[in-house]
Structure formats: structure tokens, C-alpha cells
mmCIF file of all heavy atoms in Angstrom:
data_model
loop_
_atom_site.group_PDB
_atom_site.id
_atom_site.type_symbol
_atom_site.label_atom_id
_atom_site.label_comp_id
_atom_site.label_asym_id
_atom_site.label_seq_id
_atom_site.Cartn_x
_atom_site.Cartn_y
_atom_site.Cartn_z
ATOM 1 N N LEU A 2 -18.928 20.163 -1.623
ATOM 2 C CA LEU A 2 -18.386 21.412 -1.129
ATOM 3 C C LEU A 2 -19.381 22.533 -1.285
ATOM 4 O O LEU A 2 -19.605 23.401 -0.346
ATOM 5 C CB LEU A 2 -17.063 21.730 -1.805
ATOM 6 C CG LEU A 2 -15.961 20.897 -1.501
ATOM 7 C CD1 LEU A 2 -14.711 21.052 -2.450
ATOM 8 C CD2 LEU A 2 -15.418 21.065 0.025
ATOM 9 N N LYS A 3 -20.126 22.511 -2.488
ATOM 10 C CA LYS A 3 -21.142 23.487 -2.551
ATOM 11 C C LYS A 3 -22.330 23.395 -1.574
ATOM 12 O O LYS A 3 -23.041 24.379 -1.278
ATOM 13 C CB LYS A 3 -21.642 23.491 -4.048
ATOM 14 C CG LYS A 3 -20.618 23.853 -5.051
ATOM 15 C CD LYS A 3 -21.211 23.606 -6.515
ATOM 16 C CE LYS A 3 -20.148 23.792 -7.531
ATOM 17 N NZ LYS A 3 -20.611 23.572 -8.898
ATOM 18 N N ARG A 4 -22.496 22.198 -1.143
ATOM 19 C CA ARG A 4 -23.600 21.802 -0.161
ATOM 20 C C ARG A 4 -23.118 22.147 1.215
ATOM 21 O O ARG A 4 -23.905 22.010 2.205
ATOM 22 C CB ARG A 4 -24.037 20.440 -0.364
ATOM 23 C CG ARG A 4 -24.648 20.031 -1.599
ATOM 24 C CD ARG A 4 -26.213 20.275 -1.579
ATOM 25 N NE ARG A 4 -26.893 19.612 -2.708
ATOM 26 C CZ ARG A 4 -27.749 18.578 -2.528
ATOM 27 N NH1 ARG A 4 -28.132 18.144 -1.434
ATOM 28 N NH2 ARG A 4 -28.259 18.084 -3.726
ATOM 29 N N GLY A 5 -21.823 22.519 1.521
ATOM 30 C CA GLY A 5 -21.433 22.885 2.797
ATOM 31 C C GLY A 5 -20.340 22.028 3.413
ATOM 32 O O GLY A 5 -19.987 22.254 4.560
ATOM 33 N N ALA A 6 -19.807 21.011 2.675
ATOM 34 C CA ALA A 6 -18.591 20.157 3.238
ATOM 35 C C ALA A 6 -17.498 21.223 3.384
ATOM 36 O O ALA A 6 -17.312 22.159 2.605
ATOM 37 C CB ALA A 6 -18.391 19.130 2.286
ATOM 38 N N ALA A 7 -16.572 20.981 4.214
ATOM 39 C CA ALA A 7 -15.547 21.791 4.584
ATOM 40 C C ALA A 7 -14.317 21.534 3.627
ATOM 41 O O ALA A 7 -13.768 22.474 3.122
ATOM 42 C CB ALA A 7 -15.035 21.630 6.054
ATOM 43 N N ARG A 8 -14.044 20.345 3.412
ATOM 44 C CA ARG A 8 -12.850 19.965 2.594
ATOM 45 C C ARG A 8 -12.928 18.560 2.084
ATOM 46 O O ARG A 8 -13.653 17.670 2.637
ATOM 47 C CB ARG A 8 -11.543 20.115 3.364
ATOM 48 C CG ARG A 8 -11.441 19.251 4.564
ATOM 49 C CD ARG A 8 -10.260 19.554 5.555
ATOM 50 N NE ARG A 8 -10.298 18.835 6.761
ATOM 51 C CZ ARG A 8 -9.890 17.528 6.876
ATOM 52 N NH1 ARG A 8 -9.466 16.779 5.808
ATOM 53 N NH2 ARG A 8 -9.897 16.911 8.041
ATOM 54 N N THR A 9 -12.255 18.213 0.914
ATOM 55 C CA THR A 9 -12.305 16.870 0.368
ATOM 56 C C THR A 9 -10.883 16.470 0.029
ATOM 57 O O THR A 9 -9.924 17.245 -0.162
ATOM 58 C CB THR A 9 -13.036 16.898 -0.937
ATOM 59 O OG1 THR A 9 -12.381 17.597 -1.910
ATOM 60 C CG2 THR A 9 -14.464 17.433 -0.736
ATOM 61 N N GLU A 10 -10.721 15.126 0.079
ATOM 62 C CA GLU A 10 -9.477 14.494 -0.250
ATOM 63 C C GLU A 10 -9.775 13.420 -1.294
ATOM 64 O O GLU A 10 -10.675 12.597 -1.104
ATOM 65 C CB GLU A 10 -8.636 13.933 0.925
ATOM 66 C CG GLU A 10 -7.363 13.255 0.559
ATOM 67 C CD GLU A 10 -6.564 12.804 1.803
ATOM 68 O OE1 GLU A 10 -7.280 12.759 2.868
ATOM 69 O OE2 GLU A 10 -5.392 12.577 1.733
ATOM 70 N N ASN A 11 -9.044 13.357 -2.389
ATOM 71 C CA ASN A 11 -9.215 12.392 -3.419
ATOM 72 C C ASN A 11 -8.016 11.488 -3.619
ATOM 73 O O ASN A 11 -6.854 12.039 -3.671
ATOM 74 C CB ASN A 11 -9.511 13.140 -4.733
ATOM 75 C CG ASN A 11 -9.879 12.090 -5.853
ATOM 76 O OD1 ASN A 11 -11.093 11.629 -5.896
ATOM 77 N ND2 ASN A 11 -8.974 11.796 -6.761
ATOM 78 N N LEU A 12 -8.253 10.193 -3.694
ATOM 79 C CA LEU A 12 -7.135 9.160 -3.858
ATOM 80 C C LEU A 12 -7.198 8.593 -5.231
ATOM 81 O O LEU A 12 -8.302 8.195 -5.690
ATOM 82 C CB LEU A 12 -7.214 8.020 -2.883
ATOM 83 C CG LEU A 12 -7.233 8.378 -1.417
ATOM 84 C CD1 LEU A 12 -7.155 7.093 -0.562
ATOM 85 C CD2 LEU A 12 -6.115 9.294 -0.931
ATOM 86 N N GLU A 13 -6.192 8.686 -6.028
ATOM 87 C CA GLU A 13 -6.120 8.240 -7.415
ATOM 88 C C GLU A 13 -4.840 7.412 -7.584
ATOM 89 O O GLU A 13 -3.822 7.583 -6.990
ATOM 90 C CB GLU A 13 -6.158 9.309 -8.393
ATOM 91 C CG GLU A 13 -7.422 10.055 -8.476
ATOM 92 C CD GLU A 13 -8.604 9.207 -9.109
ATOM 93 O OE1 GLU A 13 -8.177 8.196 -9.776
ATOM 94 O OE2 GLU A 13 -9.737 9.565 -8.939
ATOM 95 N N LEU A 14 -4.966 6.423 -8.517
ATOM 96 C CA LEU A 14 -3.788 5.691 -9.102
ATOM 97 C C LEU A 14 -3.389 6.059 -10.538
ATOM 98 O O LEU A 14 -2.314 5.725 -10.961
ATOM 99 C CB LEU A 14 -4.048 4.238 -8.951
ATOM 100 C CG LEU A 14 -4.134 3.680 -7.502
ATOM 101 C CD1 LEU A 14 -4.183 2.142 -7.569
ATOM 102 C CD2 LEU A 14 -2.830 4.032 -6.684
ATOM 103 N N SER A 15 -4.353 6.653 -11.240
ATOM 104 C CA SER A 15 -4.130 7.174 -12.569
ATOM 105 C C SER A 15 -3.875 8.641 -12.582
ATOM 106 O O SER A 15 -4.829 9.337 -11.781
ATOM 107 C CB SER A 15 -5.210 6.731 -13.536
ATOM 108 O OG SER A 15 -5.023 7.380 -14.802
ATOM 109 N N ASP A 16 -2.953 9.211 -13.253
ATOM 110 C CA ASP A 16 -2.825 10.638 -13.246
ATOM 111 C C ASP A 16 -3.613 11.335 -14.360
ATOM 112 O O ASP A 16 -3.439 12.517 -14.621
ATOM 113 C CB ASP A 16 -1.308 10.990 -13.458
ATOM 114 C CG ASP A 16 -0.659 10.533 -14.689
ATOM 115 O OD1 ASP A 16 -1.412 9.896 -15.509
ATOM 116 O OD2 ASP A 16 0.524 10.792 -14.870
ATOM 117 N N ALA A 17 -4.367 10.514 -15.139
ATOM 118 C CA ALA A 17 -5.114 11.126 -16.228
ATOM 119 C C ALA A 17 -6.044 12.222 -15.982
ATOM 120 O O ALA A 17 -6.452 13.055 -16.745
ATOM 121 C CB ALA A 17 -5.864 9.989 -17.067
ATOM 122 N N TYR A 18 -6.572 12.197 -14.633
ATOM 123 C CA TYR A 18 -7.633 13.171 -14.221
ATOM 124 C C TYR A 18 -7.105 14.435 -13.773
ATOM 125 O O TYR A 18 -7.910 15.405 -13.608
ATOM 126 C CB TYR A 18 -8.567 12.515 -13.112
ATOM 127 C CG TYR A 18 -9.321 11.260 -13.616
ATOM 128 C CD1 TYR A 18 -8.676 9.996 -13.456
ATOM 129 C CD2 TYR A 18 -10.508 11.430 -14.232
ATOM 130 C CE1 TYR A 18 -9.391 8.890 -13.929
ATOM 131 C CE2 TYR A 18 -11.211 10.270 -14.661
ATOM 132 C CZ TYR A 18 -10.624 9.021 -14.444
ATOM 133 O OH TYR A 18 -11.300 7.925 -14.905
ATOM 134 N N GLU A 19 -5.879 14.536 -13.436
ATOM 135 C CA GLU A 19 -5.433 15.695 -12.617
ATOM 136 C C GLU A 19 -5.636 17.042 -13.273
ATOM 137 O O GLU A 19 -5.994 18.023 -12.550
ATOM 138 C CB GLU A 19 -3.905 15.465 -12.186
ATOM 139 C CG GLU A 19 -3.683 14.252 -11.353
ATOM 140 C CD GLU A 19 -4.626 14.138 -10.194
ATOM 141 O OE1 GLU A 19 -4.634 15.068 -9.296
ATOM 142 O OE2 GLU A 19 -5.388 13.276 -10.194
ATOM 143 N N SER A 20 -5.300 17.243 -14.552
ATOM 144 C CA SER A 20 -5.461 18.544 -15.136
ATOM 145 C C SER A 20 -6.810 19.021 -15.199
ATOM 146 O O SER A 20 -7.248 20.155 -14.957
ATOM 147 C CB SER A 20 -4.727 18.631 -16.626
ATOM 148 O OG SER A 20 -5.332 17.628 -17.373
ATOM 149 N N ASN A 21 -7.708 18.072 -15.619
ATOM 150 C CA ASN A 21 -9.116 18.462 -15.716
ATOM 151 C C ASN A 21 -9.647 18.794 -14.254
ATOM 152 O O ASN A 21 -10.489 19.676 -14.056
ATOM 153 C CB ASN A 21 -9.910 17.435 -16.312
ATOM 154 C CG ASN A 21 -9.616 17.248 -17.782
ATOM 155 O OD1 ASN A 21 -9.715 18.304 -18.467
ATOM 156 N ND2 ASN A 21 -9.338 16.133 -18.304
ATOM 157 N N ALA A 22 -9.348 17.898 -13.258
ATOM 158 C CA ALA A 22 -9.760 18.141 -11.866
ATOM 159 C C ALA A 22 -9.353 19.532 -11.405
ATOM 160 O O ALA A 22 -10.119 20.207 -10.769
ATOM 161 C CB ALA A 22 -9.225 17.045 -10.911
ATOM 162 N N GLU A 23 -8.085 19.894 -11.688
ATOM 163 C CA GLU A 23 -7.560 21.165 -11.210
ATOM 164 C C GLU A 23 -8.375 22.346 -11.916
ATOM 165 O O GLU A 23 -8.803 23.315 -11.287
ATOM 166 C CB GLU A 23 -6.014 21.338 -11.575
ATOM 167 C CG GLU A 23 -5.479 22.675 -11.025
ATOM 168 C CD GLU A 23 -4.020 22.666 -11.421
ATOM 169 O OE1 GLU A 23 -3.460 21.681 -11.859
ATOM 170 O OE2 GLU A 23 -3.473 23.809 -11.132
ATOM 171 N N ARG A 24 -8.763 22.139 -13.121
ATOM 172 C CA ARG A 24 -9.521 23.237 -13.781
ATOM 173 C C ARG A 24 -10.841 23.402 -13.143
ATOM 174 O O ARG A 24 -11.288 24.489 -12.983
ATOM 175 C CB ARG A 24 -9.553 22.913 -15.248
ATOM 176 C CG ARG A 24 -10.268 23.854 -16.202
ATOM 177 C CD ARG A 24 -10.089 23.691 -17.563
ATOM 178 N NE ARG A 24 -10.453 22.423 -18.050
ATOM 179 C CZ ARG A 24 -11.725 22.180 -18.460
ATOM 180 N NH1 ARG A 24 -12.750 23.152 -18.377
ATOM 181 N NH2 ARG A 24 -12.136 21.038 -18.957
ATOM 182 N N LEU A 25 -11.491 22.160 -12.981
ATOM 183 C CA LEU A 25 -12.827 22.281 -12.368
ATOM 184 C C LEU A 25 -12.827 23.005 -11.017
ATOM 185 O O LEU A 25 -13.702 23.751 -10.645
ATOM 186 C CB LEU A 25 -13.403 20.925 -12.229
ATOM 187 C CG LEU A 25 -13.872 20.191 -13.573
ATOM 188 C CD1 LEU A 25 -14.318 18.751 -13.347
ATOM 189 C CD2 LEU A 25 -14.976 21.023 -14.313
ATOM 190 N N VAL A 26 -11.800 22.709 -10.169
ATOM 191 C CA VAL A 26 -11.698 23.208 -8.865
ATOM 192 C C VAL A 26 -11.498 24.760 -8.934
ATOM 193 O O VAL A 26 -12.098 25.519 -8.284
ATOM 194 C CB VAL A 26 -10.543 22.643 -8.114
ATOM 195 C CG1 VAL A 26 -10.220 23.394 -6.880
ATOM 196 C CG2 VAL A 26 -10.838 21.281 -7.757
ATOM 197 N N GLU A 27 -10.618 25.218 -9.908
ATOM 198 C CA GLU A 27 -10.423 26.617 -10.093
ATOM 199 C C GLU A 27 -11.695 27.261 -10.604
ATOM 200 O O GLU A 27 -12.061 28.428 -10.074
ATOM 201 C CB GLU A 27 -9.200 26.802 -11.031
ATOM 202 C CG GLU A 27 -7.903 26.323 -10.553
ATOM 203 C CD GLU A 27 -7.367 27.182 -9.417
ATOM 204 O OE1 GLU A 27 -7.787 28.365 -9.256
ATOM 205 O OE2 GLU A 27 -6.513 26.627 -8.598
ATOM 206 N N ARG A 28 -12.328 26.732 -11.484
ATOM 207 C CA ARG A 28 -13.543 27.352 -11.980
ATOM 208 C C ARG A 28 -14.663 27.460 -11.012
ATOM 209 O O ARG A 28 -15.503 28.476 -11.002
ATOM 210 C CB ARG A 28 -14.126 26.565 -13.205
ATOM 211 C CG ARG A 28 -13.250 26.760 -14.439
ATOM 212 C CD ARG A 28 -13.777 26.084 -15.683
ATOM 213 N NE ARG A 28 -15.023 26.601 -16.066
ATOM 214 C CZ ARG A 28 -15.780 26.267 -17.155
ATOM 215 N NH1 ARG A 28 -15.329 25.347 -17.908
ATOM 216 N NH2 ARG A 28 -16.905 26.871 -17.405
ATOM 217 N N ALA A 29 -14.689 26.478 -10.089
ATOM 218 C CA ALA A 29 -15.719 26.599 -8.990
ATOM 219 C C ALA A 29 -15.318 27.431 -7.818
ATOM 220 O O ALA A 29 -16.135 27.664 -7.009
ATOM 221 C CB ALA A 29 -15.959 25.104 -8.498
ATOM 222 N N GLY A 30 -14.048 28.015 -7.900
ATOM 223 C CA GLY A 30 -13.618 28.882 -6.765
ATOM 224 C C GLY A 30 -13.385 28.181 -5.433
ATOM 225 O O GLY A 30 -13.550 28.697 -4.360
ATOM 226 N N LEU A 31 -12.999 26.835 -5.511
ATOM 227 C CA LEU A 31 -12.814 25.964 -4.341
ATOM 228 C C LEU A 31 -11.404 25.545 -4.106
ATOM 229 O O LEU A 31 -11.162 24.689 -3.357
ATOM 230 C CB LEU A 31 -13.692 24.892 -4.551
ATOM 231 C CG LEU A 31 -15.224 25.093 -4.550
ATOM 232 C CD1 LEU A 31 -16.006 23.879 -4.977
ATOM 233 C CD2 LEU A 31 -15.770 25.588 -3.179
ATOM 234 N N ALA A 32 -10.542 26.324 -4.808
ATOM 235 C CA ALA A 32 -9.050 26.032 -4.484
ATOM 236 C C ALA A 32 -8.692 26.130 -3.084
ATOM 237 O O ALA A 32 -9.163 26.973 -2.316
ATOM 238 C CB ALA A 32 -8.102 26.865 -5.419
ATOM 239 N N GLY A 33 -7.929 25.216 -2.583
ATOM 240 C CA GLY A 33 -7.542 25.264 -1.093
ATOM 241 C C GLY A 33 -8.381 24.289 -0.295
ATOM 242 O O GLY A 33 -8.050 24.101 0.904
ATOM 243 N N ARG A 34 -9.542 23.886 -0.824
ATOM 244 C CA ARG A 34 -10.419 23.005 -0.087
ATOM 245 C C ARG A 34 -10.388 21.575 -0.560
ATOM 246 O O ARG A 34 -11.083 20.729 -0.144
ATOM 247 C CB ARG A 34 -11.813 23.513 -0.043
ATOM 248 C CG ARG A 34 -11.916 24.994 0.684
ATOM 249 C CD ARG A 34 -13.364 25.514 0.485
ATOM 250 N NE ARG A 34 -14.298 24.730 1.101
ATOM 251 C CZ ARG A 34 -15.665 25.008 0.883
ATOM 252 N NH1 ARG A 34 -16.008 25.992 0.080
ATOM 253 N NH2 ARG A 34 -16.661 24.225 1.432
ATOM 254 N N VAL A 35 -9.606 21.384 -1.664
ATOM 255 C CA VAL A 35 -9.608 20.028 -2.320
ATOM 256 C C VAL A 35 -8.189 19.603 -2.290
ATOM 257 O O VAL A 35 -7.230 20.329 -2.787
ATOM 258 C CB VAL A 35 -10.043 20.138 -3.846
ATOM 259 C CG1 VAL A 35 -9.962 18.716 -4.468
ATOM 260 C CG2 VAL A 35 -11.510 20.482 -3.769
ATOM 261 N N SER A 36 -7.894 18.338 -1.718
ATOM 262 C CA SER A 36 -6.640 17.741 -1.748
ATOM 263 C C SER A 36 -6.675 16.561 -2.596
ATOM 264 O O SER A 36 -7.553 15.738 -2.578
ATOM 265 C CB SER A 36 -6.105 17.380 -0.408
ATOM 266 O OG SER A 36 -4.960 16.531 -0.314
ATOM 267 N N ARG A 37 -5.689 16.459 -3.653
ATOM 268 C CA ARG A 37 -5.615 15.168 -4.483
ATOM 269 C C ARG A 37 -4.261 14.437 -4.313
ATOM 270 O O ARG A 37 -3.251 15.049 -4.391
ATOM 271 C CB ARG A 37 -5.872 15.606 -5.950
ATOM 272 C CG ARG A 37 -7.176 16.305 -6.179
ATOM 273 C CD ARG A 37 -7.413 16.521 -7.567
ATOM 274 N NE ARG A 37 -7.364 15.415 -8.372
ATOM 275 C CZ ARG A 37 -8.528 14.544 -8.697
ATOM 276 N NH1 ARG A 37 -9.619 14.895 -8.235
ATOM 277 N NH2 ARG A 37 -8.379 13.522 -9.570
ATOM 278 N N ARG A 38 -4.343 13.134 -4.152
ATOM 279 C CA ARG A 38 -3.126 12.337 -3.890
ATOM 280 C C ARG A 38 -3.059 11.133 -4.868
ATOM 281 O O ARG A 38 -4.104 10.528 -5.037
ATOM 282 C CB ARG A 38 -3.087 11.711 -2.466
ATOM 283 C CG ARG A 38 -3.132 12.914 -1.371
ATOM 284 C CD ARG A 38 -3.200 12.329 -0.050
ATOM 285 N NE ARG A 38 -2.145 11.498 0.278
ATOM 286 C CZ ARG A 38 -1.984 10.837 1.502
ATOM 287 N NH1 ARG A 38 -2.967 10.773 2.336
ATOM 288 N NH2 ARG A 38 -0.760 10.014 1.729
ATOM 289 N N LEU A 39 -1.995 11.008 -5.375
ATOM 290 C CA LEU A 39 -1.682 9.910 -6.452
ATOM 291 C C LEU A 39 -0.908 8.780 -5.770
ATOM 292 O O LEU A 39 0.017 8.980 -4.969
ATOM 293 C CB LEU A 39 -0.932 10.388 -7.612
ATOM 294 C CG LEU A 39 -1.689 11.388 -8.570
ATOM 295 C CD1 LEU A 39 -0.718 11.892 -9.646
ATOM 296 C CD2 LEU A 39 -2.758 10.429 -9.328
ATOM 297 N N GLY A 40 -1.323 7.496 -6.192
ATOM 298 C CA GLY A 40 -0.503 6.341 -5.785
ATOM 299 C C GLY A 40 -0.758 5.793 -4.340
ATOM 300 O O GLY A 40 -0.021 4.997 -3.936
ATOM 301 N N VAL A 41 -1.850 6.191 -3.784
ATOM 302 C CA VAL A 41 -2.174 5.687 -2.429
ATOM 303 C C VAL A 41 -3.257 4.756 -2.575
ATOM 304 O O VAL A 41 -4.380 4.983 -2.983
ATOM 305 C CB VAL A 41 -2.539 6.846 -1.468
ATOM 306 C CG1 VAL A 41 -3.011 6.295 -0.168
ATOM 307 C CG2 VAL A 41 -1.468 7.816 -1.322
ATOM 308 N N ASP A 42 -3.038 3.450 -2.223
ATOM 309 C CA ASP A 42 -3.927 2.381 -2.092
ATOM 310 C C ASP A 42 -4.365 2.195 -0.673
ATOM 311 O O ASP A 42 -3.645 1.683 0.068
ATOM 312 C CB ASP A 42 -3.233 1.182 -2.693
ATOM 313 C CG ASP A 42 -4.278 -0.013 -2.728
ATOM 314 O OD1 ASP A 42 -5.310 -0.069 -1.992
ATOM 315 O OD2 ASP A 42 -3.995 -1.058 -3.506
ATOM 316 N N ILE A 43 -5.652 2.672 -0.398
ATOM 317 C CA ILE A 43 -5.984 2.759 1.001
ATOM 318 C C ILE A 43 -6.201 1.249 1.559
ATOM 319 O O ILE A 43 -5.901 0.993 2.845
ATOM 320 C CB ILE A 43 -7.422 3.465 1.177
ATOM 321 C CG1 ILE A 43 -7.612 3.730 2.602
ATOM 322 C CG2 ILE A 43 -8.495 2.668 0.499
ATOM 323 C CD1 ILE A 43 -8.833 4.716 2.904
ATOM 324 N N ALA A 44 -6.402 0.270 0.755
ATOM 325 C CA ALA A 44 -6.560 -1.097 1.216
ATOM 326 C C ALA A 44 -5.184 -1.727 1.613
ATOM 327 O O ALA A 44 -5.077 -2.483 2.574
ATOM 328 C CB ALA A 44 -7.137 -1.955 0.113
ATOM 329 N N GLU A 45 -4.121 -1.258 0.844
ATOM 330 C CA GLU A 45 -2.785 -1.789 1.136
ATOM 331 C C GLU A 45 -2.125 -0.904 2.236
ATOM 332 O O GLU A 45 -1.299 -1.466 2.933
ATOM 333 C CB GLU A 45 -2.004 -1.854 -0.146
ATOM 334 C CG GLU A 45 -2.539 -2.855 -1.195
ATOM 335 C CD GLU A 45 -2.510 -4.253 -0.763
ATOM 336 O OE1 GLU A 45 -1.649 -4.580 0.227
ATOM 337 O OE2 GLU A 45 -3.351 -5.135 -1.147
ATOM 338 N N THR A 46 -2.312 0.372 2.187
ATOM 339 C CA THR A 46 -1.593 1.273 3.111
ATOM 340 C C THR A 46 -2.615 2.203 3.843
ATOM 341 O O THR A 46 -2.606 3.431 3.602
ATOM 342 C CB THR A 46 -0.602 2.100 2.390
ATOM 343 O OG1 THR A 46 -1.217 2.783 1.299
ATOM 344 C CG2 THR A 46 0.505 1.263 1.897
ATOM 345 N N PRO A 47 -3.484 1.574 4.698
ATOM 346 C CA PRO A 47 -4.451 2.405 5.205
ATOM 347 C C PRO A 47 -3.965 3.547 6.180
ATOM 348 O O PRO A 47 -4.563 4.534 6.354
ATOM 349 C CB PRO A 47 -5.269 1.369 6.069
ATOM 350 C CG PRO A 47 -4.390 0.241 6.323
ATOM 351 C CD PRO A 47 -3.562 0.163 5.113
ATOM 352 N N ASP A 48 -2.835 3.307 6.748
ATOM 353 C CA ASP A 48 -2.243 4.312 7.676
ATOM 354 C C ASP A 48 -1.740 5.586 6.978
ATOM 355 O O ASP A 48 -1.444 6.631 7.560
ATOM 356 C CB ASP A 48 -1.166 3.755 8.535
ATOM 357 C CG ASP A 48 -1.660 2.730 9.574
ATOM 358 O OD1 ASP A 48 -2.890 2.752 9.849
ATOM 359 O OD2 ASP A 48 -0.897 1.877 9.995
ATOM 360 N N ALA A 49 -1.644 5.460 5.628
ATOM 361 C CA ALA A 49 -1.238 6.578 4.804
ATOM 362 C C ALA A 49 -2.259 7.743 4.628
ATOM 363 O O ALA A 49 -2.093 8.760 4.188
ATOM 364 C CB ALA A 49 -0.683 6.156 3.432
#
């Protein structure tokens, strides 16, 4: 994002990262450009 990407989406199955990820996004001033989704397995549900 700092290099010019417009937006990012992250897929996770463990919720252990969420609070730290949110803090890093806020500190970087990039809130609104990062989407995080839990429980999505792209191999099993690619249309999601």
C-alpha cells in the first residue's frame, strides 16, 4: 500500500492476528484500504 497499491484483502483461518493487524493498519494511517476476512478457504470455496 505504501508503494502505491490501492487496496488489500487478507484471508485467515486463525483469529490470533486480528488485533495486532488492526493496530498496524491504524498506525500506518491505512484504515479503509485493508479488508480482513476470517474462515474463508479459497481452495474449498473459491467463489467466496
Side-chain angles (χ1 to χ4, degrees):
L2 289 169
K3 294 174 185 177
R4 295 269 194 120
R8 57 186 174 83
T9 69
E10 183 174 15
N11 186 80
L12 305 184
E13 287 294 343
L14 292 182
S15 170
D16 62 0
Y18 296 92
E19 298 311 298
S20 60
N21 288 308
E23 182 178 353
R24 181 166 61 85
L25 288 177
V26 169
E27 292 293 337
R28 291 185 62 178
L31 295 170
R34 296 171 63 188
V35 177
S36 171
R37 297 184 61 88
R38 300 176 62 186
L39 285 170
V41 178
D42 183 338
I43 193 171
E45 295 297 334
T46 57
D48 292 340

